[in-house]
Amino acid sequence: MPKIVIVESPAKVKTLYKVLGRSFKILASLGHIRDLPKSKEGILIEKNFQPVFVIPKEKTKIVNQIKNASKEAKEIYIATDPDREGEAIAFHLKEILKNGDKAFHRVILKELTPNAIKEAFEDRKDIDLNLVNAQIARRIIDRLMGYRLSPLLWKKLKRGLSAGRVQSVALKMVCQREEEIEKFIREEYWVFQAHLKAKGGEFLANLYSHKGKKIKISNKEEAEEIEKELLKKDYIISKIEKKEQKVYPPPPFTTAKLQQECHRLFKFPVKKTMMIAQKLYEGVELGSYGRAGIITYMRTDSVRVSNLAISKGREIIQKDFGKEYLPSKPNYYKNKSKVQDAHEAIRPTRFEIPLEEMKKFLSPDEFKIYSLIYKRFIASQMVPARYDTTKVDVKAGDYLFKASGKVLTFPGYLSIYKTPEDENGSTLPPLEEKEKCQLLDLKKEQKFTEPPPRYTEGTLVKALEEKGIGRPSTYATIISTLQNRAYCIKEGPYFVPTNLGKTVVRMLDAHFSNLINENYTAQMEETLDMIEEGSKKKEELLKKFYEDFLKDLEKANQNLERVNSLPTEEKCPLCGRDLVIKFGKNGEFIACSGYPKCNFTKSTSQLEEKEAEPCEKCGGKMVLKKGKFGYFYACSNYPKCKNIRKKQRYQSEKTGVKCPKCGGEIVSRKGKRKVFYGCSNWPKCDFIQWYKPVPEQCPKCKNSFLNIKGKEKVCPSCGFTQKL
């Protein structure tokens, strides 16, 4: 009788069969096979918070298949993911399969390479009940909060809403940032930059202080007075400071850092990054190398790396870069705070396959993430980059200007891992102390302070990680929920809270501020870690949580007022009554407070709206609305006129440039991935290009237009370049 192996995913099944062969029967559970019931809370509070686990209807078929396949088996190996969720899945599988004298083995697969798989099956373990208890405690708390708070929001606001321990804190952070932006008062300030000429060459210096105090210029009059003074002064170099600067390599990736970097460099949503990383871990086809996972487990908080991997990395560095790039001793990194250290950092596993060769086995997006992981790991074992830095003080009477520059003298780890921030920076010419400089130009510029930026997916993940809120493996789900519940929308890459999101936060903050806050949520994560370590019982945590939560819930049910609408400053264009914001099944909308006497409604969409053409049936105004299939225009004279019109998803932009092929006009068009520019006579004329044209004649070859490429205007005919 073959031995049974159970994993979560079909992809992992394929990878394991390549290594274990047909002496094992390998099955996939497709995730959790038992959970709390959907139709009720499923927690027996009076029985010490005992959970009632059931097999979901959609899992009945797969559970029966696993049971039938396991009937005659004497040994069952459970090789689910090596984390709390994976341990819980292993526990539930054992519970439904245990009968007779079956032997259960827990197999921990931290990487899916042939050697690692064989070692893991030899080093089998028992199920870690501390990890299981930590997962169950988290699940119970999330269930109690979700199943008690959500109905409260339904009753007091609208149906279909949800609240949660981590989700609500993340939403609160987004709303608080928006509040900071709304309250922000811009302050004027002025800066000066001197263009100076010394014997060795020209350089720029910025005004820093006056009479030893850092200067602050807050208005034009003050700036003009200072300008008059500075134009009369002699500029003398008072101090030159030179030193060598070492920049050390970053550690290999943790989950959160990988999510942040992929969003920053590639604009990948967190969900996409995790899906691709999961595939790279579970296994890909590698041609003659076979099928294997090419990175370690991608859910980790640790920067620790095995000695074997360090040794492999050092071999690659010496071979590809040379001895001068290899430190005398391996680089070891410490975790900044207490983290779950069961797994290594995210690193490559198939060191024998060169990076460029790996490219042919992966899709472009898969290779982007794998390449980033590979380069970051190799860089982490290299010597630091070295710079020669120079800082210069220039005195102009009582005023002090500062200039700085740096030159890369040895690239070190930057040879393989370089980000846009790792530019060499400005350089300075040879300068001497007490040297008098000629003032070539004095530039003054008005500026204004800027509010803090809204969160992107990357910066929200960074903030959640820094505050210890949730686990990086849950961030993708949290971000999706905020958008799916219409609590936030995205304007470009930025999260903007909706009126609904702000209202939910206000309601929760008024009655659950001791639970829905950053410190409490972070402390909860620490307590769950203690349960995982075995230093705390889950029942202690659940009892304390439930007592506090129940008190707040009872008060909220009594004191929280129902919100039917939110006021606006607008008046109804049909009847003159106040307009209010309401929350419907398809999202929020603006309606007349005189309903049902007045049926006027319009969208509160924060997306850019173009002026719509009047109704073609009655001439009335067309207003933007949102239905279950997206945005559309409807006649404001509804119900007398029921005309609707589909909203154009993309508005073509005219450029004023003639098509070089047929003389038509070049206009913008929306492709599958990005905007391109083509002839308005398409399909008769097939002219297209990726860069935006501007109607400016090339001064060199007299071509009728130039293209905008980055920060330059470029002639498509002769290559003439001009800065914007």
Side-chain angles (χ1 to χ4, degrees):
M1 180 66 197
K3 298 172 184 177
I4 300 294
V5 179
I6 306 175
V7 296
E8 297 118 305
S9 70
K12 208 183 282 186
V13 171
K14 292 180 183 178
T15 304
L16 289 180
Y17 264 133
K18 294 282 187 179
V19 178
L20 301 177
R22 297 292 165 175
S23 59
F24 288 83
K25 185 173 180 61
I26 307 173
L27 306 167
S29 70
L30 303 180
H32 283 274
I33 50 90
R34 286 205 313 182
D35 199 2
L36 297 170
K38 289 182 179 179
S39 57
K40 56 185 179 180
E41 194 172 78
I43 311 294
L44 303 178
I45 307 292
E46 67 284 354
K47 293 188 177 180
N48 213 8
F49 300 93
Q50 181 182 327
V52 179
F53 290 113
V54 298
I55 298 171
K57 187 176 180 181
E58 65 271 16
K59 288 291 182 146
T60 304
K61 184 177 178 181
I62 191 70
V63 168
N64 288 336
Q65 288 175 353
I66 292 173
K67 281 183 175 179
N68 291 333
S70 306
K71 278 181 181 177
E72 305 299 324
K74 296 295 182 184
E75 289 186 278
I76 297 177
Y77 295 79
I78 305 177
T80 47
D81 283 347
D83 56 13
R84 288 178 189 165
E85 295 298 321
E87 209 70 23
I89 293 171
F91 169 78
H92 291 304
L93 283 166
K94 182 177 178 180
E95 288 294 300
I96 67 166
L97 296 176
K98 66 179 182 183
N99 60 55
D101 57 350
K102 284 182 171 58
F104 288 87
H105 307 294
R106 177 73 171 109
V107 176
I108 308 295
L109 295 170
K110 296 179 181 178
E111 59 180 85
L112 291 175
T113 57
N115 288 337
I117 291 170
K118 289 171 185 175
E119 287 175 11
F121 273 80
E122 290 171 5
D123 185 29
R124 45 191 183 265
K125 306 175 184 298
D126 293 327
I127 292 172
D128 188 335
L129 292 180
N130 288 332
L131 261 71
V132 175
N133 286 331
Q135 192 275 342
I136 291 176
R138 177 195 290 273
R139 189 75 185 91
I140 289 173
I141 290 170
D142 289 346
R143 172 54 65 100
L144 288 172
M145 288 190 76
Y147 272 56
R148 302 282 178 102
L149 277 184
S150 296
L152 177 68
L153 292 175
W154 299 352
K155 185 167 68 173
K156 303 294 185 179
L157 191 55
K158 71 176 284 262
R159 291 192 66 82
L161 302 180
S162 69
R165 181 178 56 88
V166 179
Q167 166 200 319
S168 298
V169 174
L171 175 60
K172 185 177 178 180
M173 288 168 61
V174 173
C175 291
Q176 285 175 336
R177 177 59 58 86
E178 192 69 18
E179 190 176 341
E180 289 175 32
I181 294 169
E182 289 170 357
K183 290 181 178 178
F184 183 82
I185 299 173
R186 297 176 76 203
E187 292 184 6
E188 178 186 3
Y189 69 100
W190 290 73
V191 295
F192 281 84
Q193 187 177 66
H195 183 184
L196 302 170
K197 183 179 181 181
K199 293 176 186 176
E202 299 175 11
F203 66 101
L204 300 172
N206 298 309
L207 180 59
Y208 180 75
S209 65
H210 179 243
K211 293 183 178 180
K213 292 184 179 180
K214 193 168 182 181
I215 198 161
K216 185 179 179 182
I217 308 166
S218 54
N219 57 64
K220 184 179 180 181
E221 292 75 20
E222 190 180 349
E224 288 176 345
E225 286 298 318
I226 292 172
E227 183 181 30
K228 289 177 185 177
E229 289 187 54
L230 290 172
L231 289 171
K232 299 174 185 176
K233 302 294 183 184
D234 291 331
Y235 288 77
I236 299 168
I237 297 173
S238 60
K239 182 181 176 182
I240 298 175
E241 184 182 344
K242 293 182 178 181
K243 64 179 181 179
E244 183 183 69
Q245 178 191 12
K246 289 184 178 180
V247 180
Y248 290 87
F253 281 122
T254 59
T255 303
K257 288 293 187 287
L258 178 65
Q259 292 170 351
Q260 293 166 43
E261 200 72 348
C262 286
H263 184 271
R264 190 173 69 91
L265 295 177
F266 313 134
K267 307 304 179 191
F268 285 176
V270 171
K271 185 177 180 180
K272 178 176 180 177
T273 296
M274 293 308 292
M275 286 175 64
I276 292 175
Q278 178 93 32
K279 184 177 179 182
L280 298 180
Y281 160 71
E282 290 184 340
V284 293
E285 294 293 343
L286 300 171
S288 60
Y289 295 100
R291 182 184 176 87
I294 56 176
I295 64 170
T296 50
Y297 191 54
M298 68 291 158
R299 294 187 179 97
T300 176
D301 298 331
S302 176
V303 293
R304 178 180 57 82
V305 173
S306 71
N307 289 328
L308 178 61
I310 289 175
S311 176
K312 295 286 187 185
R314 286 173 64 84
E315 287 176 13
I316 291 172
I317 293 166
Q318 183 158 343
K319 176 187 171 188
D320 293 351
F321 297 93
K323 286 185 178 180
E324 65 271 29
Y325 288 84
L326 190 67
S328 57
K329 295 180 181 178
N331 294 334
Y332 291 99
Y333 297 88
K334 290 184 179 179
N335 296 309
K336 290 184 179 179
S337 58
K338 186 179 178 183
V339 300
Q340 297 178 39
D341 197 40
H343 313 305
E344 294 182 58
I346 305 171
R347 62 165 177 84
T349 60
R350 300 302 296 265
F351 294 103
E352 72 276 18
I353 306 177
L355 181 60
E356 281 307 308
E357 189 176 351
M358 189 68 81
K359 193 172 186 177
K360 66 185 180 184
F361 304 124
L362 305 174
S363 71
D365 285 347
E366 289 168 357
F367 184 73
K368 280 181 181 178
I369 291 183
Y370 176 76
S371 177
L372 197 64
I373 292 168
Y374 179 94
K375 290 179 178 179
R376 176 97 165 207
F377 170 71
I378 297 298
S380 73
Q381 288 303 315
M382 296 176 78
V383 296
R386 295 197 298 271
Y387 293 90
D388 278 344
T389 64
T390 305
K391 293 182 179 179
V392 178
D393 289 355
V394 180
K395 280 198 169 183
D398 292 331
Y399 293 93
L400 178 67
F401 284 77
K402 285 183 176 286
S404 62
K406 65 178 183 177
V407 177
L408 183 67
T409 58
F410 184 73
Y413 78 92
L414 294 176
S415 300
I416 188 169
Y417 186 80
K418 197 173 186 179
T419 63
E421 287 74 29
D422 293 318
E423 297 296 328
N424 286 351
S426 59
T427 58
L428 293 173
L431 301 171
E432 296 178 7
E433 285 191 7
K434 299 183 180 179
E435 181 181 357
K436 186 177 178 180
C437 302
Q438 179 187 353
L439 178 64
L440 299 177
D441 185 32
L442 183 66
K443 181 182 177 184
K444 72 175 186 293
E445 185 180 358
Q446 182 190 38
K447 293 194 173 186
F448 292 90
T449 53
E450 295 292 334
R454 290 177 173 132
Y455 286 111
T456 64
E457 288 200 20
T459 56
L460 183 57
V461 165
K462 183 179 181 182
L464 291 170
E465 181 199 21
E466 288 175 348
K467 296 174 188 292
I469 298 169
R471 280 283 172 257
S473 57
T474 66
Y475 291 161
T477 304
I478 292 166
I479 288 169
S480 295
T481 302
L482 294 182
Q483 295 176 86
N484 293 339
R485 299 292 184 192
Y487 293 157
C488 295
I489 62 169
K490 286 181 88 171
E491 287 189 359
Y494 299 105
F495 285 111
V496 181
T498 60
N499 292 304
L500 179 62
K502 292 176 183 177
T503 305
V504 168
V505 165
R506 281 197 295 269
M507 295 174 78
L508 294 176
D509 207 30
H511 295 278
F512 301 93
S513 58
N514 59 330
L515 295 178
I516 308 295
N517 70 63
E518 297 168 8
N519 292 333
Y520 180 84
T521 307
Q523 289 168 6
M524 179 71 74
E525 295 298 338
E526 291 177 6
T527 309
L528 290 168
D529 289 344
M530 292 170 67
I531 294 171
E532 180 176 322
E533 295 163 0
S535 59
K536 193 174 186 69
K537 298 290 185 184
K538 76 173 189 296
E539 289 76 17
E540 295 176 34
L541 170 64
L542 295 173
K543 184 179 179 183
K544 177 70 171 66
F545 160 77
Y546 188 69
E547 288 174 354
D548 295 339
F549 179 56
L550 202 58
K551 290 176 187 175
D552 290 339
L553 193 65
E554 289 172 353
K555 289 180 184 177
N557 267 306
Q558 293 173 5
N559 302 326
L560 192 61
E561 294 182 2
R562 176 166 179 79
V563 177
N564 293 311
S565 62
L566 299 176
T568 74
E569 295 179 355
E570 296 182 69
K571 297 290 184 181
C572 178
L574 301 183
C575 70
R577 294 186 181 91
D578 291 335
L579 293 179
V580 295
I581 297 171
K582 291 192 173 185
F583 306 108
K585 63 179 181 179
N586 293 319
E588 59 188 59
F589 62 97
I590 292 177
C592 182
S593 57
Y595 178 84
K597 290 183 179 179
C598 178
N599 289 319
F600 176 81
T601 62
K602 71 172 184 175
S603 171
T604 60
S605 170
Q606 296 177 50
L607 303 172
E608 182 183 0
E609 292 186 30
K610 302 291 182 183
E611 190 67 33
E613 294 291 327
C615 175
E616 53 268 34
K617 290 188 177 180
C618 71
K621 184 179 179 181
M622 298 295 282
V623 294
L624 188 66
K625 296 192 174 186
K626 185 182 179 184
K628 63 179 180 179
F629 299 113
Y631 289 99
F632 65 95
Y633 284 103
C635 184
S636 59
N637 292 328
Y638 178 87
K640 291 181 180 178
C641 178
K642 297 182 179 180
N643 183 37
I644 62 171
R645 184 193 305 149
K646 185 177 179 181
K647 182 179 183 292
Q648 292 293 325
R649 295 183 66 187
Y650 179 76
Q651 188 75 27
S652 181
E653 176 190 355
K654 296 180 179 180
T655 65
V657 175
K658 286 187 177 182
C659 172
K661 289 185 76 172
C662 73
E665 185 177 4
I666 300 176
V667 296
S668 67
R669 297 187 183 279
K670 185 73 167 65
K672 287 185 178 180
R673 296 189 178 180
K674 63 178 183 177
V675 172
F676 66 95
Y677 295 85
C679 182
S680 58
N681 291 330
W682 186 87
K684 291 181 180 179
C685 177
D686 61 357
F687 172 81
I688 63 166
Q689 65 177 38
W690 292 112
Y691 299 106
K692 182 178 181 178
V694 289
E696 295 181 20
Q697 190 181 68
C698 174
K700 189 175 180 181
C701 71
K702 307 303 179 185
N703 190 60
S704 62
F705 67 94
L706 301 175
N707 289 331
I708 295 178
K709 293 186 179 181
K711 296 182 179 180
E712 296 177 330
K713 294 177 184 177
V714 180
C715 176
S717 179
C718 69
F720 167 80
T721 301
Q722 176 185 336
K723 287 189 176 180
L724 284 172

